[in-house]
Amino acid sequence: MTNTSDNAVSADSSKKSTDLARKELSAILGKIDDLRHPVKAWLLLRARSRLRPTKLIKVRARHLWLFLLIATWITVQLARTHVLTYQYTKCWITTPSFVLKLFRPPEDCSICQDVQQVDKLSAVDPTIFEQRYAYSGKPVVISDAMANWTAPKVFSFSFFKTLYDGAEASCQFFPYKTEFRSLQDVFDMSPDRAMMEKGTTPWYVGW
């Protein structure tokens, strides 16, 4: 009698545990449904993440060598450009010309506002020039100012090349609309172009 009673109690307890487990599972599934995550989709996503193999990118040796070769060539070219730039201008980075124009302070043109004509003189006395023009800001043209100046007879391309060619060609340089990147490039031009012979490209620089 006792064994039968114990079996009945055990079966009843087992049934209650099963019912409780079902209720808890139903509650969990209900919460998942409330979060709008279907159980099937969630299970499939979890299984897929476990079964999906990891893809490895295969890099062949020849591809790696080609990449290293290109990277080395680019590095050498950049280094060479920087060395040449520093050799002539003492600057590692050259400022683009448009930046200089962009940040150049505006010119004050008020000095020319009331100018109606420009005087043209010759054989002017230095005292008169000092009194009337030197400190007034008034424009004037002296037509014979170079009459006794020896520079036109001395200055020439070969004269400046003798002074600045080589190590001295690293001074400030203004290429204007030429292809020259440094003063040394100017001195390396052909003799015909230096003398502006017919058929050569004209040039104008300053430093």
Side-chain angles (χ1 to χ4, degrees), residues 95-201:
T95 305
S97 58
F98 74 90
V99 175
L100 297 177
K101 296 179 181 180
L102 183 63
F103 293 100
R104 185 178 63 180
E107 298 291 341
D108 184 10
C109 299
S110 60
I111 191 173
C112 302
Q113 186 173 0
D114 297 328
V115 175
Q116 301 298 326
Q117 65 177 11
V118 178
D119 296 340
K120 186 175 181 180
L121 307 175
S122 62
V124 61
D125 184 85
T127 304
I128 296 178
F129 175 81
E130 182 178 6
Q131 293 175 351
R132 296 181 182 179
Y133 303 101
Y135 309 106
S136 65
K138 184 178 179 180
V140 61
V141 175
I142 308 299
S143 59
D144 58 350
M146 297 173 57
N148 298 320
W149 193 31
T150 58
K153 299 178 181 179
V154 177
F155 290 173
S156 65
F157 179 82
S158 59
F159 173 79
F160 288 109
K161 184 175 182 179
T162 303
L163 291 179
Y164 294 100
D165 191 15
E168 298 298 329
S170 60
C171 60
Q172 190 177 23
F173 172 71
F174 302 98
Y176 295 103
K177 295 183 179 181
T178 65
E179 77 282 7
F180 303 127
R181 299 183 59 185
S182 67
L183 191 56
Q184 187 61 52
D185 291 343
V186 177
F187 295 138
D188 290 340
M189 78 171 75
S190 64
D192 290 341
R193 188 181 180 188
M195 299 304 296
M196 295 187 178
E197 296 289 345
K198 186 177 181 180
T200 59
T201 305

Side-chain angles (χ1 to χ4, degrees), residues 1-9:
M1 186 68 180
T2 304
N3 291 335
T4 303
S5 177
D6 291 340
N7 292 335
V9 172

